[in-house]
Amino acid sequence: YESLKEELSEFSKKHPGFKEKNWQLIQVGGARRGKGPGHDADFIVTHPSIKIGGEGSLVLSAIINGFTQKRKIIPKTDEYTFYMLQLSRIRSNDGDYATCSHIRRLKANVRSPHSGFDNLRQDQHDRFFGAYRTLQGRIRRIDIVVVPYIEKAFAVLAWTGSVLMNRNLRQYCRDRGLHLSSHCLLTIPPYGGTKSKLVPYETQPDWRWVSQEK
């Protein structure tokens, strides 16, 4: 946690638009559910300046580069493959969140009977999965997920878990005509309908302006 805070502080010094006081670093997974320290640690990173212009990839790349230089993570080699860096580069051509490629994909698949029960590995967030070396020299698994500020609530909910709770909650939403993911909440249009909408981004226009101001 402290090492991540240091990297975010360094990032703010190089990128004035990312005010240090506005970083949100949230430990999720079992620790957030009260299970205490375990063999791994999962973190959500977000900031009001992380939007839909590829900012998340920039932040995660800086974190991993800093950790690598300080030998805090074990690099990927032919012998050691416990390492994954996913840079999603979530973007929108016209600056509208509703037209982002990952949102369009979710809308296209929203009617599938299996949609909404995807494993977290299927999400499109910027994510690092690998092994972290502690100050004591111990090796621990770590997940770092950088999310757009507008998706924070959905990402924290999904990554807190548990798997059973996520499945039950997503089924609860589907029973009410909604599709829940780690990115957003969508309406499921009736058969014959063609347009799924983001809740509340497209269903409550006033909320859109509030979200953009933060």
Side-chain angles (χ1 to χ4, degrees), residues 74-206:
I74 300 178
K76 184 176 182 179
T77 64
D78 291 338
E79 293 77 24
Y80 188 84
T81 58
F82 192 69
Y83 183 106
M84 183 194 77
L85 179 61
Q86 172 181 291
L87 298 178
S88 68
R89 303 193 184 280
I90 292 176
R91 295 179 184 275
S92 174
N93 293 330
D94 59 7
D96 187 354
Y97 176 65
T99 64
C100 285
S101 58
H102 70 299
I103 297 298
R104 295 201 307 270
R105 192 178 305 114
L106 285 168
K107 286 183 174 182
N109 297 325
V110 77
R111 280 209 194 97
S112 167
H114 303 296
S115 181
F117 299 94
D118 317 80
N119 187 285
L120 286 173
R121 293 181 181 179
Q122 303 300 317
D123 71 28
Q124 298 298 308
H125 291 127
D126 296 285
R127 177 187 175 192
F128 170 76
F129 168 81
Y132 177 86
R133 184 181 287 108
T134 69
L135 292 175
Q136 294 76 29
R138 298 174 182 172
I139 304 300
R140 293 288 185 267
R141 198 188 82 182
I142 188 171
D143 270 295
I144 304 171
V145 187
V146 182
V147 307
Y149 195 70
I150 196 173
E151 295 185 354
K152 182 189 79 169
F154 303 105
V156 171
L157 178 64
W159 277 89
T160 297
S162 65
V163 173
L164 179 60
M165 192 209 75
N166 277 333
R167 285 186 172 274
N168 287 342
L169 187 55
R170 293 180 183 193
Q171 183 62 59
Y172 180 89
C173 290
R174 287 197 69 85
D175 292 344
R176 286 153 181 79
L178 299 168
H179 169 92
L180 177 65
S181 72
S182 60
H183 290 282
C184 62
L185 183 66
L186 291 167
T187 61
I188 301 176
Y191 285 97
T194 58
K195 185 150 178 86
S196 173
K197 293 184 178 181
L198 284 160
V199 182
Y201 189 82
E202 293 178 299
T203 60
Q204 299 176 36
D206 290 343

